[in-house]
Amino acid sequence: MDLRKLKYFKVVADEKHIGRAAKILHISQPPLTRQIHQLEEELEVKLFNRTPKGMDLTDAGILFREEVNNIFGLIEQATERTQKAGQGRLGRLDIAIFGSGIMGDIPKILLAFKERYPEVNVVLHTMGKGEQINALRQKRISLGFNRLLAPLPDIDSELVAIEELVLAINTNHPMASLPAIPFTKISDIPLILFPASNRPNFIDKTIRLCQLAGFTPNISQEVGDAVTSIALVASGFGACLIPKSASVLTIPGVVYKSLIEAPDETEVDLSCIFRKEDTSPLLRAFLDIVIEYRTANEKLTDDPESNFF
Amino acid sequence: MDLRKLKYFKVVADEKHIGRAAKILHISQPPLTRQIHQLEEELEVKLFNRTPKGMDLTDAGILFREEVNNIFGLIEQATERTQKAGQGRLGRLDIAIFGSGIMGDIPKILLAFKERYPEVNVVLHTMGKGEQINALRQKRISLGFNRLLAPLPDIDSELVAIEELVLAINTNHPMASLPAIPFTKISDIPLILFPASNRPNFIDKTIRLCQLAGFTPNISQEVGDAVTSIALVASGFGACLIPKSASVLTIPGVVYKSLIEAPDETEVDLSCIFRKEDTSPLLRAFLDIVIEYRTANEKLTDDPESNFF
DNA sequence: CTTCTTAATACCTTAAAGGTATTAAGAAGC
DNA sequence: GCTTCTTAATACCTTTAAGGTATTAAGAAG
């Protein structure tokens, strides 16, 4: 079987005339006659009745014409879909996020991506940092969002955003009435820190910031995630430092306060990680969106609302 | 696009190795390499990542593989279905029957055909003789069942069965108590005749039979169809001659009586008609069944039950 | 019966698929 | 770090089959 023969058959079936069909196909009549004969021979079916006025489709020929149209339709679809997939506009992208990543920049990026590539199926997985790296290496995911990443030989990363840190503090605390809190005042407050695993982590970061500011933090508790941490603030265990985007979580008993007179690094990065050798157009398309997002956001750092979802 | 390339792609995608794939395809490695390159060029998509260990499908390649499998499936299906159609085992056959043709031989033939060719869609149309011939010429039907056919230049016919005629008579008539009625006694009874159109018809036949028996029939009424005719017999308008197969119609007030001492031709044919030049395998397959049916039935003419449905 | 049309046949030309030999490039082993 | 193995890619020739020209065969129209 040969698509050339099918194409020829289609034209002959339409024209009911070998000569005219040959003209349309820009070939001469005898080869076309031969191709049609070969097709009939191969199928072992007479597709046309030859009349002195031209060619007339048999019942089998009528059926075959429909089938041939289906075949060409499917081939066209295959071509288009494959091309789309090659451009990263069709397929599946597995992305890992961390627990509190459902707030802030990540949903905005996901929305932007889905808008531009509506035929890409984005599947989200919630994973910690270590899990993400394992999953990347096993190709279970193509990309992970995370913070405070240490460089790895096979994993590349791309910065998404840098977020200011704010202090979550109990509403009954004397400083809760201040418009903003000087960083050094943190030394007086018991701190709740998270997460307790996957170094370098947010705990290390907090401790280092305090040292830069000239004091040792008063650690009250170490917990696993941001939400638990804020819940403990509400219960009066102490205060905690969180990225500003997490402050959309409003809980009775907790207020978020900006920090003033803070060390330069009183901020935390949000990055995405991916296999260095991964050249899939889907991933690259996603990274393009990430870079676009960051570039657009850097121009808006003055506007405090821009970091909020 | 070219099915050869698709076939090659499939094997390379399975083997993930040009050399092994070439071996399976019984060609050497370089032409296969070239074909794959041409395919990628044509699609403008990279289908494989080349590694020192072989070929690895890209995401687009994975998608394309599925599509290619669909294409080959469809081609296979097209081939099979077209071959079936060519052998008359698939398609649609439009057949005309006359009003009382739903009894007797016709349903048996239709059942036999449907059993042997279950994928043929048989569409029945109820038509009179003239209509059938028009419909045949306009190719709206491929075959018609009818009786008493005059030869036509473009229409062939095939005999299905010859049926004995029986007399339908009112239960109150004095002769209704006889086991069988001598043909000449019909001269005393008013006759209901049908149909009133499309000569040569059953009316002509009845009149001729009476003349052969040496009398002129006493015509009471001419009606359009057998069922009306029998209904009139029940109402006491007179008697009528009908083919034996129609005597399955039992109506209160009507009994069917065999005729004795009747002319040789006291019988009527059931035939099917079709376009002389129609060579469609579907029609020919149907005619084969008809001839088989008739042959089988001719051997059983002694058994009166064999003519009943 | 001739003339027109149609598809089919015979024979040659050309384009493209296939083959052989070789090269380039990366991985594995010493 | 070099050689050796593997792989796919390239260069060039051969063969197959598709396409072209000329002609024929067969049926319809006049």
Side-chain angles (χ1 to χ4, degrees), chain B residues 4 8 27-28 30 34-35 52:
Chain B
R4 178 191 283 113
Y8 289 2
I27 60 172
S28 62
R34 190 172 29 159
Q35 292 287 339

Side-chain angles (χ1 to χ4, degrees), chain A residues 74 87-88 117 219-220 252 272:
Chain A
L74 197 55
Q87 294 157 16
Y117 301 101
I219 298 172
S220 145
C272 55

Side-chain angles (χ1 to χ4, degrees), chain A residues 68-86:
Chain A
V68 166
N69 283 330
N70 290 342
I71 290 167
F72 279 113
L74 197 55
I75 288 172
E76 199 180 318
Q77 186 189 309
T79 306
E80 280 173 18
R81 284 169 55 85
T82 305
Q83 284 172 346
K84 272 191 186 173

Side-chain angles (χ1 to χ4, degrees), chain B residues 2-205:
Chain B
D2 176 2
L3 288 185
R4 178 191 283 113
K5 288 181 174 56
L6 299 189
K7 190 176 82 181
Y8 289 2
F9 165 78
K10 230 173 73 150
V11 177
V12 176
D14 288 344
E15 291 299 317
K16 300 181 183 305
H17 193 290
I18 290 257
R20 276 201 302 277
K23 215 161 201 174
I24 290 171
L25 290 163
H26 304 295
I27 60 172
S28 62
Q29 170 259 317
L32 183 54
T33 295
R34 190 172 29 159
Q35 292 287 339
I36 297 295
H37 278 152
Q38 284 172 4
L39 182 59
E40 290 184 320
E41 230 167 90
E42 189 177 350
L43 291 171
E44 300 174 327
V45 167
K46 219 171 110 214
L47 297 169
F48 293 97
N49 289 314
R50 275 69 170 177
T51 72
K53 300 184 68 182
M55 311 278 276
D56 199 28
L57 280 169
T58 62
D59 288 357
I62 290 167
L63 182 94
F64 191 62
R65 168 144 75 160
E66 285 172 33
E67 301 279 354
V68 167
N69 282 331
N70 290 342
I71 289 167
F72 279 113
L74 198 53
I75 288 173
E76 198 178 320
Q77 186 188 309
T79 306
E80 280 173 18
R81 283 169 56 85
T82 305
Q83 284 172 346
K84 271 191 186 175
Q87 295 157 16
R89 294 197 289 126
L90 181 76
R92 170 176 167 153
L93 191 61
D94 287 89
I95 294 178
I97 55 173
F98 53 93
S100 48
I102 40 167
M103 299 166 285
D105 303 290
I106 296 174
K108 288 192 221 167
I109 290 171
L110 294 177
L111 280 173
F113 182 75
K114 280 208 89 69
E115 193 181 336
R116 186 147 352 144
Y117 300 101
E119 287 175 289
V120 174
N121 182 19
V122 174
V123 180
L124 294 179
H125 307 264
T126 303
M127 294 183 187
K129 202 186 296 178
E131 268 183 286
Q132 286 190 11
I133 288 165
N134 275 338
L136 276 175
R137 287 183 173 146
Q138 292 165 20
K139 304 196 177 175
R140 292 188 348 256
I141 61 171
S142 297
L143 185 117
F145 282 100
N146 225 303
R147 301 186 194 277
L148 297 164
L149 297 158
L152 286 168
D154 55 338
I155 306 283
D156 254 354
S157 72
E158 190 69 53
L159 181 68
V160 177
I162 291 180
E163 287 187 69
E164 187 186 336
L165 293 180
V166 296
L167 191 72
I169 191 168
N170 192 284
T171 41
N172 293 328
H173 193 279
M175 284 196 283
S177 55
L178 297 175
I181 294 172
F183 192 86
T184 49
K185 293 285 182 190
I186 292 176
S187 61
D188 302 333
I189 314 172
L191 281 185
I192 302 148
L193 297 181
F194 67 94
S197 56
N198 287 124
R199 309 181 130 247
N201 60 23
F202 205 56
I203 297 181
D204 302 325
K205 174 85 184 180

